[in-house]
Amino acid sequence: MQLVVARIGRAHGIKGEVTVEVRTDEPELRLSPGAVLATDPASTGPLTIETGRVHSGRLLLRFEGVHDRTAAEALRNTLLIADVNPDERPEEDDEYYDHQLIDLDVVLTDGTEVGRITEISHLASQDLFIVERPDGTEVMIPFVGEIVTEIDLDEQRAVIDPPPGLIDDQAEIASARDEGESGAEESRGEN
């Protein structure tokens, strides 16, 4: 299975280094010196990582055969793709690869079907499951422990316990303002 692990950014310096937007939780495994990566577009690769280092919080890579700024800049926006065994699992028990979560059935704690995960959206604050419901609509489920209570890869399902209003329109709205307004209406009617 092939997974996008990074996107090449702009050239850094004059010796062929490039900035990299990392798209894997395991850059030390996927983006280490000696790694051979396929590319998109395919015509720019495959690329073999010669060196890697972190500079000012950004990963910089240099590839074999790319030794000047012009060659590095020509790689800009290229996606780096790693071959991954589909049965491989992350080291931590509560971590998952996107391909393991796509197509899982999503059910409530009582077993009620919600839908199927079609996409994982990686945001700065948290990840989201994009879930397609049986009627074709989509709902976004934050991938946080309070909501996603269980991932069962053997049963191919994700169990969720959503707060009111997350997957339905039955949100419970409690507001002191609402209570105060009804009291004001009653007192106006008495005068």
Side-chain angles (χ1 to χ4, degrees):
M1 165 175 278
Q2 293 192 318
L3 297 175
V4 174
V5 294
R7 183 182 66 81
I8 297 175
R10 60 190 178 107
H12 179 84
I14 60 171
K15 296 183 180 180
E17 285 184 312
V18 294
T19 61
V20 176
E21 175 189 315
V22 177
R23 295 190 180 174
T24 176
D25 289 337
E26 302 171 315
E28 66 285 345
L29 175 66
R30 309 277 181 222
L31 300 171
S32 61
V36 179
L37 302 166
T39 61
D40 182 11
S43 60
T44 60
L47 294 172
T48 302
I49 297 175
E50 187 174 280
T51 64
R53 67 186 178 102
V54 176
H55 175 73
S56 297
R58 294 202 56 109
L59 179 61
L60 302 178
L61 296 179
R62 180 179 299 129
F63 300 100
E64 290 181 5
V66 178
H67 297 288
D68 63 34
R69 185 175 185 84
T70 303
E73 193 61 41
L75 297 174
R76 189 175 200 160
N77 293 321
T78 297
L79 297 177
L80 299 176
I81 302 166
D83 281 319
V84 177
N85 180 339
D87 296 327
E88 183 180 325
R89 293 192 176 186
E91 291 179 10
E92 299 294 323
D93 289 337
D94 61 345
E95 291 182 358
Y96 304 93
Y97 294 127
D98 286 4
H99 73 273
Q100 294 172 309
L101 300 171
I102 299 293
D103 287 331
L104 290 185
D105 293 323
V106 178
V107 297
L108 298 177
T109 54
D110 67 3
T112 303
E113 178 185 4
V114 175
R116 180 181 57 84
I117 299 172
T118 58
E119 183 182 340
I120 312 295
S121 181
H122 300 283
L123 305 176
S125 59
Q126 68 192 13
D127 295 336
L128 291 175
F129 290 161
I130 309 300
V131 177
E132 183 179 315
R133 302 181 77 151
D135 65 3
T137 61
E138 288 184 339
V139 63
M140 293 182 276
I141 309 290
F143 187 20
V144 294
E146 296 81 26
I147 297 172
V148 180
T149 60
E150 179 185 357
I151 298 289
D152 187 337
L153 295 179
D154 296 328
E155 293 291 322
Q156 287 291 287
R157 69 181 189 155
V159 179
I160 64 169
D161 187 11
L166 182 65
I167 62 170
D168 55 28
D169 296 331
Q170 310 272 322
E172 294 178 22
I173 301 173
S175 167
R177 182 176 153 204
D178 292 341
E179 292 172 13
E181 286 177 3
S182 62
E185 289 172 11
E186 290 174 11
S187 66
R188 275 186 249 152
E190 293 174 1
N191 290 336

